[in-house]
Amino acid sequence: MNEIEHHLEHHGVKPTAMRLLVYRELKRAVRPLSLRDLEDRMPTAERSTIFRTLTLLLQHHLIHAIEDGSGALRYEVCHGHDHCTLDDQHIHFYCEQCHRTFCFREKKIPRATLPEGFQMISINYMVKGLCPECVRKTLAHA
């Protein structure tokens, strides 16, 4: 049994071929992937099957989802040993020109203090602007 199979089973997920493929693609990715991105990377897989797999991986805290303002959820692997923790949450950057989302894993989200009685489960911290590549393109056309 390989590392990914063991990791899925440890979280109570039967390691089917599709689950292994989706998880492996998310693990390889350098930035969060949308459902559409995964479809492009796995052209023989059906959209509904990928979506069901993402839902299952989310339920078992193997991945987390972020909303980057593009209208589509993006998914990435949790790096905690047993489940996603607030430490897995980091700052993301959405380029409003090329529509790519970047992870700044080394930039942790500032801790939020909530009123008494509220319990934080997750947090989304999205910065929007232009990535360096788009800034260069904009300056070149100015």
Side-chain angles (χ1 to χ4, degrees), residues 54-110:
L54 290 169
T55 301
L56 180 73
L57 296 176
L58 278 168
Q59 289 171 343
H60 287 268
H61 307 288
L62 287 156
I63 63 173
H64 58 273
I66 58 164
E67 204 291 301
D68 63 8
S70 69
L73 284 177
R74 297 191 184 273
Y75 305 89
E76 62 185 346
V77 169
C78 295
H79 294 287
H81 294 292
D82 290 323
H83 60 283
C84 280
T85 66
L86 290 178
D87 290 333
D88 283 308
Q89 306 299 314
H90 49 266
I91 295 174
H92 293 91
F93 183 91
Y94 177 74
C95 181
E96 293 184 330
Q97 187 165 320
C98 67
H99 309 289
R100 292 183 295 171
T101 300
F102 299 85
C103 288
F104 296 150
R105 284 190 175 85
E106 69 284 354
K107 304 284 186 190
K108 297 300 178 191
I109 293 175

Side-chain angles (χ1 to χ4, degrees), residues 2-75:
N2 70 33
E3 180 184 336
I4 294 175
E5 287 175 302
H6 179 70
H7 191 62
L8 293 181
E9 283 193 346
H10 176 74
H11 286 270
V13 176
K14 183 179 177 183
T16 64
M18 181 55 64
R19 293 170 185 170
L20 291 168
L21 286 171
V22 170
Y23 189 81
R24 190 173 294 124
E25 284 301 324
L26 290 170
K27 196 165 174 71
R28 286 183 190 160
V30 296
R31 62 180 53 96
L33 299 177
S34 67
L35 177 57
R36 170 65 128 210
D37 294 332
L38 286 164
E39 284 180 281
D40 291 344
R41 289 173 178 235
M42 302 182 315
T44 59
E46 290 185 23
R47 178 183 184 88
S48 61
T49 303
I50 297 171
F51 182 76
R52 282 193 309 274
T53 301
L54 290 169
T55 301
L56 180 73
L57 296 176
L58 278 168
Q59 289 171 343
H60 287 268
H61 307 288
L62 287 156
I63 63 173
H64 58 273
I66 58 164
E67 204 291 301
D68 63 8
S70 69
L73 284 177
R74 297 191 184 273
Y75 305 89

